[in-house]
Amino acid sequence: TLGFGMTTPATVAGKVFLIVYGLFGCAGTILFFNLFLERIISLLAFIMKACHERQLRRSGLLPPNFRRGPAMSGVGSLVGWKPSVYHVMLILGIFAITLSCCASAMYTAVEGWNYIDSLYYCFVTFSTIGFGDLVSSQNAVYQNQGLYRFGNFIFILMGVCCIYSLFNVISIVIKQVLNWVLKKFECRCCPKCHKSSARLGRRNAITPGARLRRRNISMDTDGQYDSDTEGRRLSGEMISMRELTASNKVSLAILQKQLSETANGYPRNVCINTRQNGFSAGVGALAIMNNRLAETSDSR
């Protein structure tokens, strides 16, 4: 993925071969970079964990004969400990700068470039930008040419792997910073947004995920509410009859009780032998019918 441009295919067969070979070659290269990133992160995590454990042992939080194992517990345990992404970024940055400085010293001595141009070439090459304004190994003759080309190959390979890993870690840091900024903006704009949505919201508007959120709330509370105001939806959500019944159990129960008492002639009492006659008390229209049948059977 460097693409310096000093050597390009000239024939049609060469261009077709480049397309086919580059399709699998670039995919394999990215896979190699990802595996390198995993290994370097694992190595850094192991080293940083060992340093953290040594620091805890010096501070007295860990016993001197402490060993890693599944039975780690207590304040000084390292269960679930992970290195900070900022520390990993700092270590990869130092390693990339050191590698670039060493490679720049070699290019300055062999290619005859000044040190700033060599550093510029290292960044352009290691980051796979590949402008092509400066390209190494283009002279006809070099002193110790084989050794120089081998060193050039090692520096480019290690540099690209290191910069690729550093870019991935930096992307994680950028994501964390953006999430923090968005959360700050959301906290500041939240009251205004809620006010505007409350003014413009319609009662029968459908909110995505409302039924799922309602189901989760009902599972957590077992479908019971302390009052008829709890568990109500916002004005911008559409509810079904089942959800209306579940969210207004108390008020519906009171209403049905009033209907039953009105039908029976309030404050008329229901017959005591209702359960004995096999009729359930219940509420609503079915309860009124059951009470009438209970009274009829009792009179018989």
Side-chain angles (χ1 to χ4, degrees):
T1 58
L2 294 180
F4 282 135
M6 72 284 189
T7 303
T8 57
T11 62
V12 176
K15 295 177 181 179
V16 172
F17 175 77
L18 175 65
I19 294 174
V20 177
Y21 181 79
L23 181 64
F24 296 97
C26 291
T29 304
I30 293 175
L31 176 61
F32 173 77
F33 288 159
N34 290 328
L35 294 176
F36 179 85
L37 175 62
E38 292 179 3
R39 297 301 181 270
I40 196 68
I41 293 298
S42 300
L43 178 62
L44 290 177
F46 177 79
I47 295 175
M48 294 174 66
K49 188 174 183 179
C51 295
H52 181 68
E53 179 184 341
R54 186 176 180 182
Q55 184 179 2
L56 290 177
R57 187 179 288 109
R58 285 183 176 180
S59 60
L61 297 177
L62 287 178
N65 55 354
F66 174 79
R67 292 183 181 180
R68 299 183 184 91
M72 292 184 299
S73 61
V75 179
S77 65
L78 300 177
V79 177
W81 184 88
K82 293 181 181 180
S84 174
V85 65
Y86 302 103
H87 294 163
V88 175
M89 182 182 66
L90 179 61
I91 294 174
L92 286 175
I94 293 174
F95 185 73
I97 292 175
T98 303
L99 191 66
S100 299
C101 291
C102 295
S104 298
M106 184 187 71
Y107 293 135
T108 301
V110 178
E111 296 289 346
W113 303 331
N114 57 52
Y115 198 76
I116 301 299
D117 289 341
S118 298
L119 283 174
Y120 163 78
Y121 168 78
C122 287
F123 178 78
V124 171
T125 303
F126 295 166
S127 60
T128 67
I129 295 174
F131 285 130
D133 50 349
L134 293 175
V135 181
S136 61
S137 301
Q138 295 303 299
N139 295 337
V141 180
Y142 288 97
Q143 188 178 1
N144 299 324
Q145 185 172 356
L147 182 62
Y148 169 65
R149 289 183 176 178
F150 177 75
N152 189 23
F153 168 76
I154 295 297
F155 274 122
I156 291 178
L157 179 63
M158 296 299 297
V160 171
C161 291
C162 185
I163 293 296
Y164 176 82
S165 303
L166 181 61
F167 284 168
N168 278 274
V169 177
I170 291 176
S171 66
I172 297 175
V173 176
I174 292 175
K175 182 180 178 181
Q176 292 180 353
V177 173
L178 289 178
N179 288 335
W180 179 80
V181 172
L182 290 176
K183 187 177 294 185
K184 290 295 183 182
F185 278 114
E186 183 179 358
C187 292
R188 292 180 179 178
C189 300
C190 189
K192 297 180 180 179
C193 294
H194 283 312
K195 289 180 180 179
S196 60
S197 62
R199 292 176 181 176
L200 300 177
R202 295 172 54 190
R203 184 172 184 80
N204 292 329
I206 299 176
T207 303
R211 295 179 64 88
L212 181 60
R213 292 195 302 269
R214 184 63 195 172
R215 185 176 301 173
N216 294 333
I217 295 174
S218 62
M219 290 176 63
D220 294 336
T221 58
D222 296 330
Q224 297 179 0
Y225 302 96
D226 295 335
S227 64
D228 57 343
T229 58
E230 294 180 6
R232 292 184 179 178
R233 290 172 173 263
L234 297 178
S235 60
E237 299 181 1
M238 179 179 292
I239 60 176
S240 63
M241 182 60 66
R242 181 181 299 176
E243 293 171 339
L244 176 63
T245 306
S247 61
N248 296 277
K249 283 186 176 180
V250 178
S251 58
L252 285 177
I254 296 174
L255 178 61
Q256 290 166 351
K257 183 179 179 181
Q258 292 176 355
L259 285 174
S260 177
E261 292 175 349
T262 303
N264 291 326
Y266 183 83
R268 182 177 177 181
N269 295 329
V270 183
C271 181
I272 303 175
N273 297 326
T274 302
R275 292 182 179 271
Q276 298 176 359
N277 293 329
F279 301 103
S280 60
V283 290
L286 184 59
I288 297 173
M289 183 183 67
N290 288 336
N291 292 333
R292 289 300 182 185
L293 290 174
E295 292 174 359
T296 306
S297 62
D298 184 73
S299 61
R300 289 179 185 178

